[in-house]
Structure formats: C-alpha cells, structure tokens
Amino acid sequence: MFVIMVYDVGEKRVGKVLKISRKYLYWVQNSVLEGEISESNLRKLKYELERVIDEEHDSIIFYTFRTTRYYQREIMGIKKGGEDNFL
Amino acid sequence: MFVIMVYDVGEKRVGKVLKISRKYLYWVQNSVLEGEISESNLRKLKYELERVIDEEHDSIIFYTFRTTRYYQREIMGIKKGGEDNFL
C-alpha cells in the first residue's frame, strides 16, 4: 500500500519521529513523508512512533491507499525531497 | 474533488499562505489542510498562493482525489483541527 504521513509533534520529538519514519518512508518536505509500505511494516512504524510521541500533544496522520491510481499529486514551487532524493 | 494540501514555506510567508488556504480548505494540523473543493476554487487557491510564495524556496503539494473512497485516514495522538473545528 501507499502512505502519506504528516506529523505535527513537539520540537523535542521531531528528530526521533523523523529517524523512525525514514526507515520506512521517504522524506518529501517538512513534516511530510510518503512511500510504498507493507501492512506489517506500517504496523511496525506505528508501533515505534507510539513509543516516542506524546499522545496528548502530538498528532500524526496516515493517509493510506491501495494504489496511487486514484490521486493526483502536484507540486507548486520547489521539489524538496522525494523518492529520488533520500536525505 | 477532495484535496490534501501540505505546505513548507518560509516563516515570513506562513501567515499569508494559511490565510489564503483557509478560505478554501480547513486546517487539519501544522502545515496541512484538507477539504472538498471545486475545480474552479482549486484554480483560484493556486493562483492566490502563486502570488505570495517564493517559488525558489517554498514548496506546496496538492494531493487531489475525485472521492475520499479510496483512502483511509488514521490519526495517532491528538486531533488538532478538522472540519468540525475551524480555527
């Protein structure tokens, strides 16, 4: 499946969240990652994130799709990250 | 159609980008807005944003869908904004 992940977490936890997420997804731009991921890896990702975020202050949204066929993706301005640009 | 918009823009332009975007979409969390929008309003939104962003430094991604049928949306942690919570 394909995932778009957007996070809004406290400054102290940004580094940890990013480090975990980058093991599974690629960085797209500030606070956004994307990628193809298996269901089991998505579960692992969520499990690891749950352990570092503060559930009373932080928020992470996962949009999951079976395929990328049903959406269009358009960038305005510069392309910061992406599949071809692991940082 | 339905739009997820994520922005990564210079601090000086965040306020303007947010003000414009909120006329058309609802705020979900830091750097993320969503909403049902007509094609003509999406064009207006992009036109207004193009006039305020710095295309060499800022990045805005639009994911557009005909319906929300093909994705699942899951929140980890707190729900910050949303359709029922205009800020």
Side-chain angles (χ1 to χ4, degrees), chain B residues 20-71:
Chain B
I20 291 167
S21 308
R22 275 185 177 160
K23 290 194 291 179
Y24 300 96
L25 301 170
Y26 56 87
W27 183 86
V28 176
Q29 70 179 30
N30 185 33
S31 309
V32 186
L33 296 101
E34 284 181 4
E36 277 290 332
I37 191 168
S38 65
E39 283 197 41
S40 70
N41 275 341
L42 183 57
R43 273 196 301 274
K44 281 188 207 166
L45 169 60
K46 288 177 182 169
Y47 175 77
E48 289 186 52
L49 289 172
E50 272 164 5
R51 297 180 61 167
V52 302
I53 69 166
D54 176 342
E55 299 223 332
E56 283 174 21
H57 294 98
D58 299 337
S59 178
I60 300 180
I61 305 179
F62 299 92
Y63 301 94
T64 55
F65 310 83
R66 289 191 186 203
T67 82
T68 57
R69 195 186 310 169
Y70 300 111
Y71 80 80

Side-chain angles (χ1 to χ4, degrees), chain A residues 60-72:
Chain A
I60 300 181
I61 305 178
F62 298 92
Y63 301 94
T64 55
F65 310 84
R66 290 191 185 204
T67 82
T68 56
R69 196 187 309 168
Y70 300 113
Y71 78 80
Q72 285 198 302

Side-chain angles (χ1 to χ4, degrees), chain A residues 13-27:
Chain A
R13 295 174 294 279
V14 166
K16 282 182 185 169
V17 164
L18 206 48
K19 193 177 172 189
I20 291 167
S21 309
R22 275 184 178 162
K23 290 194 290 178
Y24 301 95
L25 301 170
Y26 56 87
W27 183 86

Side-chain angles (χ1 to χ4, degrees), chain A residues 3-61:
Chain A
V3 174
I4 302 167
M5 174 186 145
V6 291
Y7 62 85
D8 182 356
V9 305
E11 214 175 315
K12 286 181 188 168
R13 295 174 294 279
V14 166
K16 282 182 185 169
V17 164
L18 206 48
K19 193 177 172 189
I20 291 167
S21 309
R22 275 184 178 162
K23 290 194 290 178
Y24 301 95
L25 301 170
Y26 56 87
W27 183 86
V28 176
Q29 71 178 29
N30 185 32
S31 309
V32 185
L33 297 101
E34 283 181 6
E36 276 291 329
I37 190 167
S38 66
E39 281 198 42
S40 70
N41 275 341
L42 183 57
R43 272 197 302 274
K44 280 188 208 165
L45 169 59
K46 287 177 184 170
Y47 175 76
E48 290 186 51
L49 289 172
E50 273 165 5
R51 296 178 61 166
V52 302
I53 70 165
D54 176 341
E55 300 223 332
E56 284 173 22
H57 294 98
D58 299 338
S59 178
I60 300 181
I61 305 178

